[in-house]
Amino acid sequence: MDWSDLIDTAFDVAGNSSTDHRAAALRTVEANVAPDEKPIASTAGRHPDHFRKGVLVLTTHRLLFLKDGKPPVPVPLASVTDATVTRTRINGEVLLVVALTGSHRFEDVVKAEVFAEQLRATARLAREATRKESVAAVPAAPAPAATGVELLDQLERLAALHTAGALTAEEFSRAKQRLIG
């Protein structure tokens, strides 16, 4: 699946046949894609601030909400901690994405359960990759010239990773011990 297939599928689901909007969404995504970023899935939904449906695009790095050629609303996957689906009479299937950057609500989402499961699985992989990078980046011992402020900054970063779920308690403890000495 490439980016144009993903956008076309989502616009078809949204019932939006505007070729201008499709082309604008494709240009927006392609302009903001990281070199190693790949498309995973897409669906249609509505942001609470918009009346018409837009496109939710899941990539290997983030979740994007695209609407009428406007700048995308990005949610980095490594920061996603949960994705739940509820159903209401007025708003249909509601996807709530909880991330370290805040919570994001999308209403009237098509096939929300399937999309949420794909989102959770991809976010889990992104967090694991981030955790491996973080553990590898922690020095084996503090540098001799490290000041108390630098050590405190490193400990705060480790604590934030642990709180975010990127590090297990055991990994956090080992990394903390390596820093402290």
Side-chain angles (χ1 to χ4, degrees):
M1 177 180 285
D2 68 359
W3 294 106
S4 60
D5 292 338
L6 194 73
I7 298 297
D8 287 343
T9 301
F11 270 86
D12 288 343
V13 170
N16 188 338
S17 61
S18 170
T19 55
D20 291 339
H21 289 165
R22 288 178 193 226
L26 184 58
R27 280 192 306 274
T28 301
V29 168
E30 288 178 338
N32 294 298
V33 169
D36 58 343
E37 190 171 14
K38 304 283 184 253
I40 303 290
S42 66
T43 192
R46 223 175 10 89
H47 192 276
D49 295 340
H50 302 285
F51 178 71
R52 290 194 331 241
K53 283 188 177 180
V55 177
L56 287 161
V57 177
L58 177 62
T59 74
T60 52
H61 292 63
R62 57 201 168 152
L63 172 67
L64 299 169
F65 178 71
L66 307 171
K67 178 88 173 44
D68 297 337
K70 294 181 175 127
V73 177
V75 181
L77 286 186
S79 73
V80 172
T81 59
D82 195 18
T84 57
V85 176
T86 57
R87 287 170 186 75
T88 68
R89 280 192 229 179
I90 297 172
N91 297 321
E93 290 188 334
V94 177
L95 173 64
L96 181 64
V97 179
V98 180
L100 297 174
T101 56
S103 65
H104 306 272
R105 178 185 167 103
F106 303 99
E107 300 169 346
D108 202 16
V109 177
V110 177
K111 297 185 181 178
E113 285 291 346
V114 173
F115 191 77
E117 184 54 41
Q118 291 171 317
L119 175 60
R120 285 188 289 267
T122 308
R124 193 175 317 113
L125 292 173
R127 283 192 309 272
E128 287 172 6
T130 301
R131 180 177 59 213
K132 288 176 185 175
E133 291 170 6
S134 299
V135 170
V138 174
T147 66
V149 173
E150 291 170 348
L151 181 60
L152 185 58
D153 287 344
Q154 290 174 341
L155 286 171
E156 286 176 346
R157 255 183 299 179
L158 279 176
L161 288 169
H162 176 59
T163 302
L167 293 175
T168 64
E170 183 179 314
E171 290 168 333
F172 172 68
S173 179
R174 273 188 281 147
K176 185 171 70 170
Q177 288 303 319
R178 278 194 301 242
L179 279 175
I180 294 172

